[in-house]
Amino acid sequence: MAFADQFWQLTVTGLVIGSVYAVIALGYTLVYGVLQLINFAHSEVFMFGAFGGVFATRALLPSGNISATESIGLVLLGLGIGALCGGLAAFALERTAYRPLRRRGAPRLAYLISAIGASLFASNLAGKEFGRDSVNIPKDLFDYNTQVFSVFGARVSKQDLVVFVVALALLLLLDRLVSGTRLGQGIRSVAQDSDTASLMGVNVERIIVMTFVLGGLLAGAGGFLYAMKFNASFTMGFIPGVKAFTAAVLGGIGNVRGAVLGGIVLGLVENYGQFFLGAQNLDVVAFLVLVLILLVRPSGLLGERLGRAA
Amino acid sequence: MSLLELDDLVVRYGAVEALKGVSLTVEEGEIVTLLGANGAGKTTTLRTISGLLRPSRGAITFDGQPLKNIPAHEVAAMGLRHVPEGRRVFPQMSIVENLEMGAYRDRKHLKVDMERVFGLFPRLAERQKQDGGTLSGGEQQMLAIGRALMGRPRVLLLDEPSMGLAPLVVQTIFQIIGEINADGVTVLLVEQNAAQALRRASRGYVLETGTIAMQGEASALLQDDRIRQVYLGESTGDEAQAG
Ligand SMILES: Nc1ncnc2c1ncn2[C@@H]1O[C@H](COP(=O)(O)OP(=O)(O)O)[C@@H](O)[C@H]1O
Ligand SMILES: [Mg+2]
């Protein structure tokens, strides 16, 4: 089949998954913005959010037929609980893996090692507590695969639509928060010059915690979206984690709008790429992109900095 | 009791002792200037007062309260505002946003205070939407001072506000510092531009490698031979003949 025939279908798939990468990528970019730290354990925050959301919808699903309202309510609840679990996980991570190092003025490498340790711990903890098999959202939650409409012959399922719309809403919400609220201004001030921010009365430590939590809320919600499309498992964080990190670097790490752009672009590129390289090489494309940007334009598409309204 | 008091302050960077027992006082309503060559410890002194650095010995008292273990963001909230060396405006925030940052802790009087700052610095009013990073040095200094005023300070710590500015702009800045002081704000002014600073101040201190080497009434320091020679760039009679 020719690329042109597949183009729109690949575009739909790319946009949907890309919007999820974008939601996760924001966590990397926000934390990098305020601390110049790559939080490699962010992928596990995402995983905890996915489990939280999936378990919540499974536990709360009423037996028998469920109405459209119940279905929407449950999806929103799954998102909320997923976000909450992600936020809590990020909070705990900052407290245990990073703050003690900051207090001691540890060198950069220590953070990286701590992040990897925390990541392995969290993943294995989940494996032990939640089992080693993957879990899905309940089949009866809604009719995922029903086609809602088609664009240029490409089918858009109900699931695609839900994931994309929710992700887009989260991205817009975060953008507003960073550019238009007092907390957002506090985050930007710390990203631009943390000493001077504290001279303005900004409690930098509090902003750091809030930034982790904010990234965690997003990753948690993103985890539930991802689990809706695929499933939740204790090893699920790694691949989307690296891809979201790639998206953040692609857009310019530290740059909020860059992370969104990077996520969408990566989703599209890996889907177009798999057409040529084969579906089994989907992940290869993403990593190829990472290596290429690091070689060619390490500051990303939009450049670094959490400066401008984001 | 003085409004601001430093007593025998010692500050270290690792093994290097940058302040070796600095004591000074600032009375309410005064302009006090702290002079000294590059590396003397002026910036270190201000950063320690505002809580960015911790002294290893000595005490700081503001309005009767010890500041030693109070974090910088709380010191700012107490009404002690530091305009840092090199201005440090937020480069990717507009003028308005930079001013808002000055009122981060308390936005009750935001509108009124911003109008007041724009009244003091009409140049800023004309460029409200422009990013801090794109302003000229003089404009950035005005913004940095205006931003500090947004916090309604009782004491303003100014670190070399004239650094790198054209003479005309320096005049404006010093004049505004005078006006701010006349409005009741106490000022501790760090400068290398000793002549200008001493003309505005009531008293002065001279810092040399972490120690107060001289102190006194500003008018007396202006007349002092050593000050004239080292800090006002005037030559002695002998050198004048030689050169
Ligand atoms: N961050 C730092 N680390 C190590 N030494 C420093 C640091 N900042 C300043 N110093 C040293 O402390 C001394 C005082 O510096 P500073 O307070 O900046 O002087 P001034 O403001 O009078 O030029 C200098 O010897 C300087 O080299
Ligand atoms: Mg200095």
Side-chain angles (χ1 to χ4, degrees), chain B residues 13 18 37-44 85:
Chain B
Y13 295 104
N38 249 335
K42 306 181 297 296
T43 297
T44 303
E85 184 175 64

Side-chain angles (χ1 to χ4, degrees), chain A residues 182 188 193 195 201 308, chain B residues 47 88 97 104-105 131:
Chain A
R182 181 166 172 275
R188 282 185 290 135
D193 186 340
D195 268 359
R308 167 132 308 283
Chain B
R47 288 172 67 84
R88 306 281 284 263
E97 281 186 302
Y104 189 81
R105 292 296 283 255
D131 273 1

